[in-house]
Amino acid sequence: MPAFRQVGEKQLPNPVLYMAWSPKRDLIALANTAGELLLHRLANFQRVWSLAPNENTGKEITSLAWRPDGKILAFSVGDTKQVVLCDAEKAEILHLFPVDYPVSCMHWMEVQSESSLSSTFSDSEDESNRFLPKLPALPKRLNILVVGGPSGFVELYAYGLYKIATLKGIAGTCRSLCLASDLKSLSVVTEVKSPEDNAEIHYVQLDTGLLSSCLPELTRMARKFTHISTLIQYLRLSLTCMCEAWEDILMQMDLRLTKFVQEKNTSTQVQDEFLELLLWGHASPELQALLMNQLTVKGLKMLGQSIESSYSSIQKLVISHLQSGSEALLYHLSEVKGMALWKQKFQPLGLDPSAIEDAITAVGSFTLKASELLQVIDKSMKNFKAFFRWLYVAMLRMSEDHVPPELNKMTQKDLAFVADFLSEHFSNEELFDRKGKYFNVERVGQYLKDEDEDLVSPPNMEGNHWVTFVQQSTHLKESPLLFPTYPQKSLHFVKRMMEGTIDICLQKPAVMLMTFFSCRWNDKNAAMNYVVFCMPEISPFKIYILRTATDPNRCLSNVPIFIKSGDRSYSCLDARLYDDETLTVVLQCQEKDENKFRLLAQLPLSSALRCEEEFTWDPTLRLDQQGEEIPVRELTWGNQSRDLENMKAQFVAVNGIRKVACVVRTFFYCSRF
């Protein structure tokens, strides 16, 4: 029986740069030279979806990584220096975050914690669901996304969202990363350029024992900070929906009144003209032309309906989303502050109580600004409803149309209300605002503009008893218990200020979690790290395996070994671990035409990994200078191979769970084992 069975072959329009099998499903992700991200199904190589490059994400994909449950795909973009998290079902971008350097490699792993730690954590889980709206569920086990780039840049993100560690200072560009499942060590492969511009490969093992020793606290903190990041995104989307609900039609009244002031030939003020219409039912020819020819009865009716509909939508969004989201944010930040004050448990993780307190204050200010917007909406709706009702009746009378009886009744109280509205909104026509308008009757839109400038028409605090009481009290005025209100600023401005303060709070722990270890080099069951590599210029027909324990304090009798491929005329182009004891390799025959003789093979590693010969590594010498002393095991693949005829194969991706491999160069070739 042949070892390999071809299950598909696909010609693609653009060369593929990166590919990664889903850890749980029969899906493979591909990134090509056109900047597209493609997802294909194993069956008939059917395309599930494609994500084209755009300005928000970028065009140069540099690496791929699947979340361990296979539900989210992460990809890094070099030209915009971002990492993007994408929903595997809908090709929907869920989250993206900037990084300091272009990412060259990523690794997403799941933490294998002891059952006692898991039960302890679940028993002491926060009770926020009892008081707050439900958030999207996080995986039960902690998973960590590790990203690496040039200048030894490495960052760790819990759940792919919250940065828990930052590492800088390792020489070279990261080419491969592997965080041990017990969190005791991080293995990094870097490429370093020598003064002569020659590339050297370095292996570094970092001691991450702090992550392992503080796993329950780290998990609890990561879940809290991930909830906070999710809530910030929720508030951002809610504010976007509010901006979409606000329509430009709401500015028509302001613009037409401004035009009326600029074109009128009389010396009377607009306020006086409207008051004369209110009291005596008479309008000047200019005002009558404005109302009947420009605004029109139909236009006024549509404007009133648009204002009521828009304001109602914004009001619902503020109450159901913005306020509930900010309250949830306050709850989680207050719990994080309590964790920070528990110094015995959480101080090693770098939580800063003062930074968290600043974040709580910023969220409180945002909540107050949202409440202020609600008051402005409520007052504006009442004002506009009364004003438009009166003006609609007046315009019907001008046009000598029938006035419905229910609209014809107007009490003295209604007259006083409209008169107050005219006095408040129509009294400053002699003053231009910064946009060149005389009027700002519409007061809600200014809160939704993403500008640093002050509000054109801030709320009038005169007569507010609470504001007067606070200003007259020296102690309350300076009290940290009262959140600042920023009455001159928009909701967008306060939101950006809140996000900046929370970002500082979120990044505080990420600078303290990593410590260095000396240069050395994973199987989850045996707590081991394995690194497979070749040195084609030194030993073109040999494959090296570097093995170290995940615990840096554990010693091994034998570290690196080489493996002969059985036939010295084959060199290795690419290799991937199929499982803990099998290596899948793409081999190239050196004695014949390279386009015709390439081989896909399975190498059993069990005998090589049981090598008992000792090797003493001299850290002062490079590995290639100690090649003769490294123990050698000769391996053969038997019938576990397949010729890749007429195919210039270069890369391979394997999925040991589904027993499938994908070989790529100019087209795809899928095989089952």
mmCIF file of all heavy atoms in Angstrom, residues 139 143 171 187 191 210 237 274 280 282 296 309 317 419 460 468 479 483 498 545 606 610 615 618 659:
data_model
loop_
_atom_site.group_PDB
_atom_site.id
_atom_site.type_symbol
_atom_site.label_atom_id
_atom_site.label_comp_id
_atom_site.label_asym_id
_atom_site.label_seq_id
_atom_site.Cartn_x
_atom_site.Cartn_y
_atom_site.Cartn_z
ATOM 1 N N PRO A 139 -12.339 31.332 25.652
ATOM 2 C CA PRO A 139 -11.995 29.921 25.859
ATOM 3 C C PRO A 139 -11.703 29.641 27.327
ATOM 4 O O PRO A 139 -11.204 30.498 28.055
ATOM 5 C CB PRO A 139 -10.729 29.749 24.999
ATOM 6 C CG PRO A 139 -10.792 30.845 23.986
ATOM 7 C CD PRO A 139 -11.469 31.991 24.669
ATOM 8 N N ASN A 143 -4.974 30.850 26.358
ATOM 9 C CA ASN A 143 -4.127 30.668 25.187
ATOM 10 C C ASN A 143 -3.352 31.959 24.944
ATOM 11 O O ASN A 143 -3.814 33.047 25.291
ATOM 12 C CB ASN A 143 -4.931 30.258 23.948
ATOM 13 C CG ASN A 143 -6.009 31.263 23.580
ATOM 14 O OD1 ASN A 143 -5.714 32.348 23.102
ATOM 15 N ND2 ASN A 143 -7.270 30.905 23.807
ATOM 16 N N ALA A 171 19.421 39.642 19.734
ATOM 17 C CA ALA A 171 20.026 40.009 18.455
ATOM 18 C C ALA A 171 19.306 39.318 17.304
ATOM 19 O O ALA A 171 18.894 38.170 17.416
ATOM 20 C CB ALA A 171 21.503 39.626 18.463
ATOM 21 N N SER A 187 11.278 29.443 23.396
ATOM 22 C CA SER A 187 12.378 29.172 22.478
ATOM 23 C C SER A 187 12.261 30.070 21.261
ATOM 24 O O SER A 187 11.187 30.207 20.678
ATOM 25 C CB SER A 187 12.348 27.701 22.041
ATOM 26 O OG SER A 187 12.479 26.861 23.180
ATOM 27 N N GLU A 191 17.750 35.170 13.115
ATOM 28 C CA GLU A 191 18.746 35.286 12.052
ATOM 29 C C GLU A 191 19.533 36.572 12.274
ATOM 30 O O GLU A 191 18.954 37.660 12.336
ATOM 31 C CB GLU A 191 18.067 35.318 10.680
ATOM 32 C CG GLU A 191 19.050 35.450 9.531
ATOM 33 C CD GLU A 191 18.354 35.500 8.180
ATOM 34 O OE1 GLU A 191 17.222 34.966 8.064
ATOM 35 O OE2 GLU A 191 18.933 36.095 7.241
ATOM 36 N N LEU A 210 8.244 33.077 35.588
ATOM 37 C CA LEU A 210 7.292 33.947 36.260
ATOM 38 C C LEU A 210 5.882 33.717 35.736
ATOM 39 O O LEU A 210 4.914 33.710 36.498
ATOM 40 C CB LEU A 210 7.695 35.411 36.068
ATOM 41 C CG LEU A 210 6.792 36.465 36.714
ATOM 42 C CD1 LEU A 210 6.701 36.243 38.214
ATOM 43 C CD2 LEU A 210 7.290 37.864 36.415
ATOM 44 N N LEU A 237 -17.739 50.833 18.728
ATOM 45 C CA LEU A 237 -18.751 50.495 17.728
ATOM 46 C C LEU A 237 -20.084 51.168 18.031
ATOM 47 O O LEU A 237 -20.795 51.596 17.111
ATOM 48 C CB LEU A 237 -18.933 48.972 17.670
ATOM 49 C CG LEU A 237 -17.748 48.170 17.128
ATOM 50 C CD1 LEU A 237 -18.000 46.677 17.263
ATOM 51 C CD2 LEU A 237 -17.487 48.526 15.667
ATOM 52 N N PHE A 274 -39.325 86.106 14.385
ATOM 53 C CA PHE A 274 -40.067 84.915 14.812
ATOM 54 C C PHE A 274 -41.010 85.244 15.975
ATOM 55 O O PHE A 274 -42.109 84.695 16.058
ATOM 56 C CB PHE A 274 -39.092 83.800 15.207
ATOM 57 C CG PHE A 274 -38.640 82.957 14.053
ATOM 58 C CD1 PHE A 274 -37.420 83.198 13.433
ATOM 59 C CD2 PHE A 274 -39.429 81.928 13.576
ATOM 60 C CE1 PHE A 274 -37.003 82.427 12.370
ATOM 61 C CE2 PHE A 274 -39.012 81.145 12.512
ATOM 62 C CZ PHE A 274 -37.798 81.392 11.906
ATOM 63 N N TRP A 280 -48.220 87.872 16.985
ATOM 64 C CA TRP A 280 -49.238 88.565 16.185
ATOM 65 C C TRP A 280 -49.649 87.793 14.934
ATOM 66 O O TRP A 280 -50.616 88.175 14.270
ATOM 67 C CB TRP A 280 -48.716 89.955 15.763
ATOM 68 C CG TRP A 280 -48.180 90.747 16.915
ATOM 69 C CD1 TRP A 280 -46.906 91.095 17.142
ATOM 70 C CD2 TRP A 280 -48.928 91.253 18.009
ATOM 71 N NE1 TRP A 280 -46.761 91.791 18.303
ATOM 72 C CE2 TRP A 280 -48.023 91.910 18.877
ATOM 73 C CE3 TRP A 280 -50.284 91.230 18.377
ATOM 74 C CZ2 TRP A 280 -48.405 92.526 20.055
ATOM 75 C CZ3 TRP A 280 -50.667 91.853 19.554
ATOM 76 C CH2 TRP A 280 -49.732 92.495 20.391
ATOM 77 N N HIS A 282 -47.993 87.644 12.199
ATOM 78 C CA HIS A 282 -47.534 88.338 10.999
ATOM 79 C C HIS A 282 -46.060 88.003 10.743
ATOM 80 O O HIS A 282 -45.259 87.939 11.671
ATOM 81 C CB HIS A 282 -47.689 89.855 11.149
ATOM 82 C CG HIS A 282 -49.109 90.282 11.359
ATOM 83 N ND1 HIS A 282 -50.122 90.027 10.451
ATOM 84 C CD2 HIS A 282 -49.702 90.958 12.390
ATOM 85 C CE1 HIS A 282 -51.260 90.512 10.906
ATOM 86 N NE2 HIS A 282 -51.036 91.086 12.089
ATOM 87 N N THR A 296 -40.389 75.199 3.222
ATOM 88 C CA THR A 296 -41.650 74.607 2.752
ATOM 89 C C THR A 296 -42.332 73.775 3.844
ATOM 90 O O THR A 296 -41.673 73.268 4.770
ATOM 91 C CB THR A 296 -41.467 73.737 1.496
ATOM 92 O OG1 THR A 296 -40.810 72.518 1.844
ATOM 93 C CG2 THR A 296 -40.696 74.468 0.418
ATOM 94 N N SER A 309 -36.754 60.891 14.679
ATOM 95 C CA SER A 309 -36.247 59.533 14.451
ATOM 96 C C SER A 309 -34.773 59.419 14.823
ATOM 97 O O SER A 309 -34.355 58.474 15.505
ATOM 98 C CB SER A 309 -36.451 59.156 12.984
ATOM 99 O OG SER A 309 -35.818 57.943 12.679
ATOM 100 N N LEU A 317 -29.358 54.162 21.768
ATOM 101 C CA LEU A 317 -27.984 53.656 21.753
ATOM 102 C C LEU A 317 -27.210 54.087 22.995
ATOM 103 O O LEU A 317 -26.419 53.306 23.551
ATOM 104 C CB LEU A 317 -27.266 54.141 20.494
ATOM 105 C CG LEU A 317 -27.668 53.459 19.179
ATOM 106 C CD1 LEU A 317 -27.125 54.226 17.988
ATOM 107 C CD2 LEU A 317 -27.173 52.023 19.156
ATOM 108 N N ALA A 419 -41.381 80.809 23.123
ATOM 109 C CA ALA A 419 -40.673 82.079 23.285
ATOM 110 C C ALA A 419 -39.321 81.864 23.947
ATOM 111 O O ALA A 419 -38.308 82.468 23.550
ATOM 112 C CB ALA A 419 -41.526 83.043 24.106
ATOM 113 N N ASN A 460 -25.512 75.018 29.235
ATOM 114 C CA ASN A 460 -25.564 76.164 30.147
ATOM 115 C C ASN A 460 -25.712 75.657 31.581
ATOM 116 O O ASN A 460 -26.723 75.052 31.932
ATOM 117 C CB ASN A 460 -26.739 77.067 29.771
ATOM 118 C CG ASN A 460 -26.760 78.338 30.593
ATOM 119 O OD1 ASN A 460 -25.858 78.602 31.396
ATOM 120 N ND2 ASN A 460 -27.793 79.145 30.413
ATOM 121 N N THR A 468 -23.100 74.721 41.251
ATOM 122 C CA THR A 468 -22.831 75.872 42.126
ATOM 123 C C THR A 468 -22.305 75.419 43.479
ATOM 124 O O THR A 468 -21.341 75.996 44.025
ATOM 125 C CB THR A 468 -24.116 76.692 42.317
ATOM 126 O OG1 THR A 468 -24.627 77.071 41.031
ATOM 127 C CG2 THR A 468 -23.845 77.938 43.140
ATOM 128 N N SER A 479 -11.755 67.253 45.215
ATOM 129 C CA SER A 479 -11.875 65.871 45.683
ATOM 130 C C SER A 479 -11.653 64.875 44.545
ATOM 131 O O SER A 479 -12.235 65.017 43.461
ATOM 132 C CB SER A 479 -13.264 65.644 46.292
ATOM 133 O OG SER A 479 -13.432 64.277 46.612
ATOM 134 N N PHE A 483 -15.704 62.724 39.582
ATOM 135 C CA PHE A 483 -15.138 62.621 38.243
ATOM 136 C C PHE A 483 -15.193 63.981 37.540
ATOM 137 O O PHE A 483 -16.217 64.671 37.602
ATOM 138 C CB PHE A 483 -15.915 61.602 37.401
ATOM 139 C CG PHE A 483 -15.883 60.211 37.946
ATOM 140 C CD1 PHE A 483 -17.029 59.432 37.968
ATOM 141 C CD2 PHE A 483 -14.707 59.672 38.428
ATOM 142 C CE1 PHE A 483 -17.008 58.149 38.462
ATOM 143 C CE2 PHE A 483 -14.664 58.383 38.935
ATOM 144 C CZ PHE A 483 -15.821 57.619 38.950
ATOM 145 N N MET A 498 -10.228 58.672 27.300
ATOM 146 C CA MET A 498 -10.425 57.459 28.091
ATOM 147 C C MET A 498 -9.623 56.290 27.510
ATOM 148 O O MET A 498 -8.955 55.545 28.243
ATOM 149 C CB MET A 498 -11.914 57.106 28.125
ATOM 150 C CG MET A 498 -12.245 55.797 28.813
ATOM 151 S SD MET A 498 -13.977 55.300 28.602
ATOM 152 C CE MET A 498 -13.961 54.807 26.868
ATOM 153 N N ILE A 545 18.407 18.111 14.689
ATOM 154 C CA ILE A 545 17.341 18.262 15.681
ATOM 155 C C ILE A 545 17.986 18.741 16.973
ATOM 156 O O ILE A 545 18.904 18.106 17.497
ATOM 157 C CB ILE A 545 16.586 16.951 15.936
ATOM 158 C CG1 ILE A 545 15.822 16.539 14.681
ATOM 159 C CG2 ILE A 545 15.616 17.114 17.093
ATOM 160 C CD1 ILE A 545 14.998 15.306 14.868
ATOM 161 N N SER A 606 11.843 8.017 16.317
ATOM 162 C CA SER A 606 11.914 7.353 17.624
ATOM 163 C C SER A 606 13.315 6.870 17.960
ATOM 164 O O SER A 606 13.811 7.076 19.072
ATOM 165 C CB SER A 606 10.924 6.191 17.674
ATOM 166 O OG SER A 606 11.151 5.312 16.576
ATOM 167 N N ARG A 610 15.972 8.419 20.928
ATOM 168 C CA ARG A 610 16.445 7.577 22.047
ATOM 169 C C ARG A 610 17.965 7.459 22.054
ATOM 170 O O ARG A 610 18.527 6.592 22.710
ATOM 171 C CB ARG A 610 15.825 6.186 21.946
ATOM 172 C CG ARG A 610 14.336 6.152 22.251
ATOM 173 C CD ARG A 610 13.866 4.726 22.490
ATOM 174 N NE ARG A 610 14.010 3.906 21.296
ATOM 175 C CZ ARG A 610 13.055 3.744 20.381
ATOM 176 N NH1 ARG A 610 11.896 4.352 20.522
ATOM 177 N NH2 ARG A 610 13.269 2.984 19.322
ATOM 178 N N PHE A 615 26.615 14.420 24.269
ATOM 179 C CA PHE A 615 27.259 15.493 23.527
ATOM 180 C C PHE A 615 27.410 16.683 24.462
ATOM 181 O O PHE A 615 26.428 17.166 25.046
ATOM 182 C CB PHE A 615 26.424 15.884 22.303
ATOM 183 C CG PHE A 615 26.912 17.144 21.639
ATOM 184 C CD1 PHE A 615 28.111 17.171 20.942
ATOM 185 C CD2 PHE A 615 26.171 18.319 21.722
ATOM 186 C CE1 PHE A 615 28.554 18.330 20.334
ATOM 187 C CE2 PHE A 615 26.616 19.481 21.120
ATOM 188 C CZ PHE A 615 27.812 19.490 20.418
ATOM 189 N N ASP A 618 29.844 23.181 23.642
ATOM 190 C CA ASP A 618 30.734 24.275 24.021
ATOM 191 C C ASP A 618 30.063 25.588 23.623
ATOM 192 O O ASP A 618 29.960 25.903 22.425
ATOM 193 C CB ASP A 618 32.082 24.136 23.317
ATOM 194 C CG ASP A 618 33.089 25.184 23.790
ATOM 195 O OD1 ASP A 618 32.681 26.111 24.531
ATOM 196 O OD2 ASP A 618 34.270 25.090 23.400
ATOM 197 N N LYS A 659 -4.181 13.741 9.197
ATOM 198 C CA LYS A 659 -3.297 12.922 8.383
ATOM 199 C C LYS A 659 -3.201 13.454 6.950
ATOM 200 O O LYS A 659 -3.426 12.732 5.974
ATOM 201 C CB LYS A 659 -3.752 11.464 8.382
ATOM 202 C CG LYS A 659 -3.785 10.829 9.769
ATOM 203 C CD LYS A 659 -4.208 9.385 9.733
ATOM 204 C CE LYS A 659 -4.196 8.767 11.133
ATOM 205 N NZ LYS A 659 -4.618 7.362 11.119
#
